[in-house]
């Protein structure tokens, strides 16, 4: 049965059910007709004193011959009835099988169209979808078509993101490599190389090499599936203090004022290095895209089982249309300005990955020209409650 098509299996199943019912009904009719019209009447005609009287004037041998002739006639009629009944049974089975085959084909036609659509989908074209007529059906086939189209939308979206990721990664690596190659070629063409020129070339090569190293490290962290140690106690106040200290040159360059509220008692369980990297990226973004002389405000508070971290700035803001894509790797709101700031577009993608690995969520509230607020929510585990300064009332 598994080697047969679904249409054939449905047809055979319908035929078996229909044939079984038809055989039972035919047997009942044939048995009833034989019992009533043949057997009982034959017995009654076999006895002259029966209930049926052929003629009151016919006596003797003539009556017996008439009764025998009538009995034979009834028996022949019963045989013909049985023959026609069996013929009708065969005809019903044949016609029913054909009708079941046709109806199964009509019912399964949308599945065939769905199968053809799937066959036509290739890795280079994921735009094909099931027809709206099939998707609009309210039965199981319609639901299947809707699920298939929704799945293809997700696959196409994921495929496009992966394609953009690959193109952007190649572009980010190509730029420093091309810069290094050009400088080395220029240096090679000079017969007498000025030591100052060599120093400048080495400085460019070093800077671009460091840029590629940072990029590859970020890509590794973003795509790595290795389990990290998540049982460390992390003080968010220390993480922000280290981040601000390391970013001091950038903050001073743009004359930014950083306000970090007291959060020494706000602790959580996780990976110390990952949490520091996430907080550092948030401060760095707030500094890069802030206005000269602007401010950055950092707050963190623990309430029940939740830790809420907010990083606000008075920067240029993010357009509404760009907010849904801001966490995509290599995505830049303003590519020229982002490249000038030195970013590769991986900062927020890494932050979201780290936050999600710690069971948290992140959201961004922003308006162009009005600044940006990043809100991170972590869920505290029971391991985080081991510190005596934390609220234990929910334990």
């Amino acid at each position: 049965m598994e080697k047969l098509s679904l249409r054939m299996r449905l047809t055979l199943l319908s035929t078996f059910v229909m044939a079984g019912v038809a055989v039972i009904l035919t047997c009942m009719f044939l048995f009833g007709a034989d019992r009533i019209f043949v057997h009982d009447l034959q017995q009654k005609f076999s006895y002259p004193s029966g209930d049926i009287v052929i003629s009151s004037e016919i006596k003797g041998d003539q009556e017996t011959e008439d009764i025998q002739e009538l009995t034979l006639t009834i028996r022949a009629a019963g045989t013909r009835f049985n023959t026609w009944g069996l013929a009708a049974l065969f005809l019903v089975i044949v016609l029913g099988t054909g009708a079941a085959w046709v109806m199964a084909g009509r019912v399964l036609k949308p599945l065939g169209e769905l199968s053809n659509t799937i066959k036509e989908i290739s890795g280079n074209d994921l735009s094909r979808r099931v027809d709206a007529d099939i998707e609009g059906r309210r039965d199981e086939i319609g639901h299947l078509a809707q699920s298939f189209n929704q799945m293809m939308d997700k696959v196409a979206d994921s495929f496009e993101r992966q394609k953009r990721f690959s193109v952007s990664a190649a572009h980010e690596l190509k730029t420093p490599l091309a810069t290094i190659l050009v400088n080395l070629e220029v240096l090679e063409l000079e017969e007498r190389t000025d030591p100052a020129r060599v120093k400048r070339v080495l400085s460019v090569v070093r800077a671009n090499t460091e840029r590629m190293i940072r990029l590859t490290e970020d890509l590794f962290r973003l795509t790595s599936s290795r389990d990290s140690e998540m049982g460390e106690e992390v003080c968010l106040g220390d993480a922000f203090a280290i981040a601000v200290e390391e970013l001091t040159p950038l903050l001073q360059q743009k004359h930014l004022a950083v306000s970090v509220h007291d959060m020494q008692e706000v602790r959580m369980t996780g990976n110390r290095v990952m949490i520091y990297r996430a907080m550092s990226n948030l401060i760095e973004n707030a500094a890069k895209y802030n206005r000269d002389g602007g401010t950055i405000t950092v707050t963190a508070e623990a309430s029940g089982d939740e830790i809420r971290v907010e990083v606000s700035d008075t920067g240029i803001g993010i357009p509404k249309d760009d907010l849904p894509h801001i966490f995509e790797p290599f995505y830049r709101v303003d590519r020229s300005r982002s490249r000038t700031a030195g970013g590769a577009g991986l900062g927020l993608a890494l932050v979201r990955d780290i936050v999600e690995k710690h069971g948290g969520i992140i959201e961004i509230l922003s308006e162009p020209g009005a600044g940006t607020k990043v809100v991170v929510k972590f869920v505290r585990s029971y391991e985080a409650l081991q510190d005596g300064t934390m609220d234990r009332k929910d334990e």
Side-chain angles (χ1 to χ4, degrees):
M1 289 291 291
E2 295 180 355
K3 296 181 179 180
L4 299 177
S5 65
L6 182 59
R7 182 180 184 182
M8 179 61 71
R9 278 184 279 178
L10 289 175
T11 301
L12 291 177
L13 179 62
S14 301
T15 300
F16 290 151
V17 173
M18 177 185 58
V21 174
V23 168
I24 292 174
L25 291 176
T26 302
C27 291
M28 292 176 61
F29 291 149
L30 294 181
F31 176 79
D34 182 75
R35 182 69 181 176
I36 297 173
F37 296 104
V38 178
H39 182 72
D40 290 350
L41 288 178
Q42 182 178 347
Q43 286 185 347
K44 291 180 180 180
F45 284 126
S46 298
Y47 301 96
S49 59
D51 297 333
I52 299 177
V53 179
I54 302 301
S55 175
S56 58
E57 298 179 355
I58 300 176
K59 303 295 183 181
D61 295 338
Q62 184 178 358
E63 180 181 2
T64 301
E65 292 177 0
D66 291 338
I67 292 175
Q68 291 177 350
E69 183 178 354
L70 185 57
T71 301
L72 293 175
T73 302
I74 294 176
R75 186 176 298 173
T79 302
R80 287 196 300 271
F81 181 83
N82 293 340
T83 301
W84 281 104
L86 294 175
L89 173 63
F90 178 77
L91 183 62
V92 167
I93 293 176
V94 171
L95 294 179
T97 301
W101 174 264
V102 174
M103 294 302 297
R106 292 178 61 88
V107 171
L108 297 177
K109 183 180 179 180
L111 289 180
E113 296 177 359
L114 177 60
S115 177
N116 294 332
T117 302
I118 295 175
K119 291 179 181 179
E120 294 174 359
I121 294 176
S122 63
N124 297 325
D125 182 15
L126 299 177
S127 61
R128 290 299 306 274
R129 297 293 183 272
V130 179
D131 294 339
D133 294 339
I134 301 177
E135 187 180 8
R137 296 166 59 113
R138 297 185 178 181
D139 55 7
E140 288 77 5
I141 295 178
H143 295 160
L144 177 61
Q146 292 176 7
S147 300
F148 174 79
N149 286 343
Q150 292 173 1
M151 179 195 70
M152 287 307 305
D153 291 338
K154 295 178 181 178
V155 171
D157 184 60
S158 177
F159 184 80
E160 288 299 322
R161 288 200 304 268
Q162 187 66 30
K163 183 186 295 186
R164 290 196 301 268
F165 178 88
S166 301
V167 172
S168 300
H171 181 73
E172 290 295 333
L173 290 172
K174 179 181 178 181
T175 301
L177 288 173
T179 303
I180 293 174
L181 181 60
V182 169
N183 280 272
L184 292 177
E185 288 178 347
V186 171
L187 189 63
E188 186 180 16
L189 292 175
E190 296 180 357
E191 295 181 359
R192 293 184 179 182
T193 306
D194 182 17
R197 174 65 177 171
V198 174
K199 187 176 181 180
R200 287 195 300 271
V201 171
L202 291 178
S203 177
V204 172
V205 171
R206 180 183 180 87
N208 282 275
T209 302
E210 291 177 350
R211 176 182 174 184
M212 288 189 294
I213 291 175
R214 290 194 301 268
L215 177 60
T216 52
E217 288 178 348
D218 288 344
L219 287 174
F220 178 77
R221 292 190 183 97
L222 189 61
T223 59
S224 176
S225 59
R226 297 185 307 171
D227 295 331
S228 302
E229 177 61 43
M230 304 294 287
E232 300 174 331
E233 184 182 71
V234 183
C235 176
L236 293 181
D238 293 342
F240 278 112
I242 297 173
V244 171
E245 182 180 356
E246 293 188 352
L247 293 172
T248 297
L250 176 61
L251 298 173
Q252 292 178 347
Q253 179 183 355
K254 302 189 69 171
H255 308 94
L256 300 176
V258 180
S259 173
V260 180
H261 292 193
D262 182 21
M263 56 184 76
Q264 289 299 318
E265 295 186 357
V266 181
R267 301 172 183 268
M268 61 176 293
T269 300
N271 184 280
R272 186 177 293 108
V273 175
M274 294 173 66
I275 291 295
Y276 156 73
R277 183 59 184 270
M279 302 302 107
S280 177
N281 283 357
L282 291 179
I283 297 293
E284 184 177 9
N285 273 2
K288 285 181 179 179
Y289 306 108
N290 211 327
R291 304 180 185 277
D292 289 343
T295 61
I296 300 175
T297 304
V298 181
T299 63
E301 60 179 1
S303 176
D305 291 334
E306 182 181 274
I307 294 177
R308 180 186 178 93
V309 179
E310 293 185 3
V311 179
S312 304
D313 63 60
T314 57
I316 59 178
I318 303 173
K320 184 177 180 180
D321 294 339
D322 292 310
L323 284 176
H325 309 284
I326 201 67
F327 293 109
E328 295 180 9
F330 297 109
Y331 186 84
R332 294 186 178 93
V333 176
D334 187 337
R335 300 189 66 87
S336 60
R337 181 175 296 183
S338 297
R339 189 172 298 280
T340 302
L346 291 175
L348 288 177
L350 281 172
V351 172
R352 184 180 67 171
D353 183 67
I354 292 172
V355 170
E356 290 179 348
K357 285 182 178 178
H358 285 78
I361 59 175
I362 181 173
E363 58 180 348
I364 294 182
L365 308 175
S366 181
E367 292 183 8
T372 301
K373 176 189 289 186
V374 181
V375 180
V376 180
K377 298 178 182 179
F378 293 106
V379 178
R380 297 193 299 183
S381 60
Y382 278 126
E383 288 79 1
L385 297 176
Q386 62 186 355
D387 185 75
T389 61
M390 297 180 64
D391 187 9
R392 298 173 181 268
K393 65 181 180 179
D394 293 327
E395 184 178 3

